[in-house]
Amino acid sequence: MKRGVKVPSLERETKWHFVPKVKKGDKVTGGDIIGTVQETNLVEHKILVPPGISGEVKEVVAEGDYTVSDTILTLQSSGEEKELSMMHRWPARIPRPFKDKLEPREPLITGTRVLDAIFPMAKGGTAAIPGPFGSGKTVTLQSLTKWSEAKIVIYIGCGERGNEMTDTLTNFPKLKDPWTGRPVLERTILIANTSNMPVAAREASIYVGMTLAEYFRDQGYDTLLVADSTSRWAEALRDLGGRMEEMPAEEGYPSYLASRLAEYYERAGRVLTIGRPERFGSVTIASAVSPPGGDFTEPVTSITLRFVRVFWPLDVSLAQARHYPAINWIQGYSAYVDLVSEWWTKNVDPNWREYRDFMVRTLLREDELRQIVRLVGPESLSERDKLVLEVARIIKDAFLKQSAYDDVDAFSSPQKQVRIMRLIYLFNNWASELVGSGVQVRKIIERVTYLGDLMRAKSTIKNDELQKFDELEGKLKSLFDELKKGGVNLMQVAGIREYSNVNSIKGPLMVVQGVTDASYNEIVEVELGNGDRRTGLVVDSGMGVAIVQVFEGTSGISPRGTKVRFLGRGLEVKVSEEMLGRIFDPLGNPLDNGPRVIGGEKRNINGEPLNPAVREYPEEFIQTGISAIDGLNSLLRGQKLPIFSGSGYLRIS
Ligand code: ADP
């Protein structure tokens, strides 16, 4: 393209089917709807009298097909004739007028659980998503774009990498809007402004996106404006300011950065629009901020925080632990919680607020407890505290974590969200009762076998299968009822069997008689006569006998008075992000005087079989620096390289 070329941004050839809504002699003013065009299956485009224009309709075309530049209406306006077409121009920097700005009232449901339940957004509200590189800003914004319950979504790719935009462009046409079942593109406008385009265009893209959002707001629609990322826009301002030799302020950004950002966020809101018929519309803003190095005190982030009412901070350590969306539940906030509570309690579940506050309370308390554990070790925790830690773990795994790439999990309807919240809430209540009557938390977790189902419900139960939550709730309830009745001794419930007929002890092995239901690799709890406990594993079973290997050795164990409990599961070990750099014994107990692993999840040490259908061929090579290996028996990522050697030979490590 040559410099200075002007191209029409709207295509002038296509004919659109226009249905007039006014007739000759009608008096119209700015914002009045003069007709409609069904632009896509999802969107009826309302053709408006441009703001600031009014008069009497002298002539209006009949229903039919017209291009955007054809005259559709002639207006007699203070002695002058004005011709209107289906399009009009608006200076992008000037906010479009409205009659009244109103308090946001409804939540903007996003289908992302942590956003909807913990830090809810309102239609007409403002949110910032700051996060360092790779923490999930783009994925979160794309989830918003795809699933939010907005009538129109405007996505501005502002100064980000081009491949992300390409990704969006290739993926979006395939996606279906969960609210209507239609392709999401029918309600989406993408404004692509990649990092390789001139910096001045970044500013333009923000204003153009905003003006489009306001234009659809004026038609009476809820619009969502998503910008990735406003930091790139601020950098463009800094760049331009530098070239104009303006006086730089903090970190080289121009002194008017704050007022520019303020103006931008001020254009959000729920409004009573100008024109007739009376209608309400909203512009909701969600923008990414990319603070260098994740430092939230840098100017763009800190200034942005002054103007937004919802703060969704992304956390590197959560992202590294693959907890997505990596929104930090301690730092985040939303000023709309009270406001949207009413909507949730009226439309979804009267207990929504209670469930939500319970989750937030538990997460905050968990944070405090973790600090205590770090200082004085886990021994200081009461059983109640331990329950808080467990419930917090369930909240994180079963509710907050949400994969943007799982078909079922990616979008949670409000009803489904509440069902998961309710299950966790009930679990906590029932477990608290047991703890109150002296049952150890560890035992509860061991025995409540449906906990796994609860953890997986987000991706196994679809939005339209909510009756499955009733089933799960029923199962959980009867399990707890039995536990309550049987108290601590009710072991059968979770497949735990106790035997006391130890026949003989040979080295680390123990032979238990009369056992017909032990399975290979089943984990065993051995309780000595004096109350000491050890752990063992079934190494063989059959013909009414189980051979148990006791990990800590059998010294001091006598066949009499020893109880052996078969726990109905394999050996599990806690795995979590806290383990790197530590030393553990084979049961996962720390050997380095450090704290026990508290967070994380329990995994069976026998692992799970790999599904051969999803296995990929190993292709990458791991360089060891040992030429005999690299050159002859290369080590491949995902493969195994056994090292054989006779005793006494040097082994390579
Ligand atoms: P940023 O825009 O902050 O640089 P991205 O949005 O590109 O980061 O996210 C980086 C990576 O994190 C993604 O490629 C993806 O693998 C992972 N990720 C982020 N959010 C999610 C999510 N909700 N579900 C699954 N994976 C995610």
Side-chain angles (χ1 to χ4, degrees):
M1 205 185 285
K2 283 203 307 268
R3 261 164 188 266
V5 173
K6 239 185 170 174
V7 283
S9 48
L10 291 174
E11 209 246 303
R12 300 293 153 93
E13 309 289 309
T14 313
K15 293 204 164 184
W16 300 93
H17 192 78
F18 173 77
V19 184
K21 294 280 175 199
V22 292
K23 51 186 193 314
K24 193 172 168 183
D26 283 354
K27 297 233 171 15
V28 294
T29 60
D32 285 0
I33 296 175
I34 48 185
T36 58
V37 168
Q38 193 67 43
E39 186 172 344
T40 66
N41 276 302
L42 285 184
V43 180
E44 186 186 59
H45 200 118
K46 312 236 163 83
I47 309 296
L48 309 176
V49 177
I53 291 181
S54 61
E56 190 182 308
V57 178
K58 206 171 152 225
E59 220 182 315
V60 59
V61 294
E63 175 174 344
D65 297 339
Y66 305 92
T67 69
V68 286
S69 47
D70 288 344
T71 298
I72 49 160
L73 188 112
T74 318
L75 214 55
Q76 189 69 42
S77 163
S78 46
E80 224 186 307
E81 265 188 20
K82 276 212 171 84
E83 293 186 337
L84 302 184
S85 66
M86 284 195 270
M87 62 169 187
H88 73 258
R89 291 178 182 278
W90 187 262
R93 274 181 188 273
I94 297 176
R96 288 174 63 92
F98 49 82
K99 267 199 204 120
D100 199 4
K101 199 169 239 184
L102 311 154
E103 186 72 8
R105 257 212 234 120
E106 264 183 45
L108 179 82
I109 300 297
T110 65
T112 301
R113 291 183 295 268
V114 56
L115 307 186
D116 290 342
I118 310 290
F119 306 119
M121 178 60 151
K123 285 177 181 158
T126 46
I129 312 184
F133 178 75
S135 56
K137 291 183 295 296
T138 303
V139 175
T140 310
L141 288 182
Q142 288 188 350
S143 295
L144 285 177
T145 312
K146 292 174 202 165
W147 316 123
S148 288
E149 188 219 354
K151 180 83 181 182
I152 304 282
V153 180
I154 298 175
Y155 184 97
I156 311 172
C158 177
E160 286 293 312
R161 283 158 290 164
N163 53 351
E164 277 173 1
M165 212 62 216
T166 326
D167 209 42
T168 316
L169 282 170
T170 46
N171 275 331
F172 270 42
K174 291 181 232 148
L175 291 168
K176 291 251 171 355
D177 172 24
W179 305 96
T180 54
R182 303 286 317 169
V184 292
L185 264 193
E186 289 189 5
R187 55 153 209 187
T188 313
I189 299 175
L190 301 170
I191 298 180
N193 173 236
T194 49
S195 48
N196 55 351
M197 298 187 188
V199 286
R202 290 189 196 165
E203 200 175 19
S205 69
I206 294 277
Y207 287 109
V208 167
M210 179 60 83
T211 305
L212 285 171
E214 286 176 345
Y215 173 64
F216 282 101
R217 172 202 73 189
D218 291 350
Q219 296 176 35
Y221 294 137
D222 292 314
T223 61
L224 170 67
L225 180 76
V226 166
D228 188 9
S229 121
T230 47
S231 294
R232 303 282 106 82
W233 166 36
E235 281 158 18
L237 287 178
R238 175 165 68 183
D239 217 58
L240 293 174
R243 283 187 217 180
M244 315 273 244
E245 299 185 2
E246 288 165 352
M247 180 76 99
E250 220 182 329
E251 290 191 19
Y253 288 106
S255 52
Y256 47 80
L257 176 66
S259 58
R260 285 286 166 84
L261 285 171
E263 277 163 25
Y264 166 68
Y265 287 108
E266 261 164 26
R267 285 175 80 170
R270 185 169 154 263
V271 303
L272 171 62
T273 68
I274 56 166
R276 287 161 303 174
E278 188 179 84
R279 54 196 185 268
F280 297 91
S282 64
V283 173
T284 308
I285 302 182
S287 352
V289 185
S290 340
D295 169 17
F296 290 177
T297 61
E298 62 88 39
V300 186
T301 316
S302 58
I303 293 172
T304 300
L305 286 186
R306 304 216 298 260
F307 307 125
V308 296
R309 307 199 59 198
V310 176
F311 180 46
W312 291 325
L314 296 171
D315 188 308
V316 212
S317 51
L318 287 175
Q320 277 164 354
R322 309 210 66 73
H323 176 114
Y324 291 119
I327 295 182
N328 184 311
W329 51 85
I330 306 291
Q331 288 179 346
Y333 70 76
S334 162
Y336 301 120
V337 180
D338 289 338
L339 212 103
V340 303
S341 287
E342 206 179 309
W343 182 92
W344 276 93
T345 47
K346 217 189 293 156
N347 294 287
V348 188
D349 190 312
N351 296 318
W352 181 82
R353 186 60 189 266
E354 179 159 349
Y355 299 154
R356 181 217 174 246
D357 289 352
F358 146 74
M359 295 207 299
V360 173
R361 234 184 3 252
T362 309
L363 292 168
L364 292 176
R365 178 75 185 132
E366 187 226 15
D367 191 54
E368 289 170 9
L369 289 176
R370 275 183 179 278
Q371 319 244 8
I372 296 177
V373 169
R374 230 168 274 145
L375 289 173
V376 288
E379 295 75 26
S380 58
L381 296 184
S382 68
E383 286 297 312
R384 288 232 169 265
D385 293 341
K386 287 184 192 156
L387 182 62
V388 171
L389 295 186
E390 283 299 337
V391 174
R393 178 177 69 97
I394 300 172
I395 294 175
K396 286 185 239 169
D397 285 359
F399 191 81
L400 299 183
K401 269 195 199 175
Q402 187 170 2
S403 167
Y405 303 117
D406 180 294
D407 284 346
V408 178
D409 196 21
F411 171 81
S412 266
S413 70
Q415 286 73 15
K416 176 171 162 181
Q417 299 186 19
V418 172
R419 295 310 304 260
I420 304 179
M421 291 160 84
R422 179 182 158 85
L423 277 181
I424 305 174
Y425 178 82
L426 291 175
F427 172 86
N428 179 64
N429 283 357
W430 294 332
S432 292
E433 267 180 58
L434 285 180
V435 169
S437 59
V439 183
Q440 287 180 335
V441 173
R442 188 174 57 94
K443 293 213 165 149
I444 300 174
I445 301 296
E446 248 165 34
R447 275 152 226 202
V448 179
T449 36
Y450 300 117
L451 214 47
D453 293 351
L454 168 55
M455 300 284 212
R456 285 186 296 271
K458 59 182 181 182
S459 49
T460 52
I461 303 184
K462 299 198 178 106
N463 289 315
D464 57 3
E465 301 175 331
L466 299 182
Q467 78 286 354
K468 291 197 178 163
F469 280 104
D470 294 331
E471 286 164 33
L472 188 52
E473 189 177 315
K475 286 199 278 187
L476 259 179
K477 176 155 176 23
S478 44
L479 184 59
F480 269 106
D481 283 347
E482 286 199 44
L483 281 172
K484 256 187 273 174
K485 256 190 269 146
V488 202
N489 296 326
L490 205 101
M491 294 172 175
Q492 288 298 347
V493 186
I496 299 176
R497 292 96 56 212
E498 185 176 289
Y499 294 91
S500 46
N501 31 356
V502 176
N503 181 277
S504 59
I505 291 172
K506 291 172 190 143
L509 302 181
M510 198 158 75
V511 181
V512 191
Q513 207 87 43
V515 184
T516 50
D517 51 2
S519 45
Y520 177 66
N521 261 338
E522 185 173 352
I523 188 100
V524 168
E525 188 179 86
V526 182
E527 191 177 322
L528 275 56
N530 64 2
D532 275 1
R533 286 181 189 208
R534 296 188 191 173
T535 308
L537 198 67
V538 177
V539 290
D540 200 4
S541 77
M543 298 195 287
V545 173
I547 316 284
V548 173
Q549 178 192 351
V550 183
F551 293 132
E552 294 95 334
T554 50
S555 70
I557 301 187
S558 81
R560 274 171 170 261
T562 299
K563 288 185 199 147
V564 184
R565 264 173 233 128
F566 293 81
L567 300 184
R569 53 182 171 82
L571 179 56
E572 287 172 330
V573 70
K574 276 268 181 95
V575 286
S576 99
E577 69 270 27
E578 303 157 42
M579 296 182 77
L580 282 177
R582 305 274 316 270
I583 307 171
F584 297 94
D585 75 6
L587 296 177
N589 302 311
L591 289 176
D592 54 2
N593 295 326
R596 295 183 73 86
V597 176
I598 299 209
E601 53 174 310
K602 277 192 170 173
R603 291 265 177 98
N604 190 309
I605 62 157
N606 294 310
E608 282 178 43
L610 257 190
N611 177 355
V614 298
R615 186 176 226 153
E616 284 180 10
Y617 281 109
E619 284 174 342
E620 261 176 90
F621 142 74
I622 302 182
Q623 192 169 356
T624 63
I626 300 163
S627 46
I629 293 181
D630 291 346
L632 297 174
N633 297 297
S634 327
L635 190 55
L636 299 182
R637 210 177 284 289
Q639 281 300 73
K640 39 211 171 275
L641 178 71
I643 298 176
F644 296 96
S645 133
S647 65
Y649 283 98
L650 197 62
R651 251 161 286 198
I652 311 168
S653 56

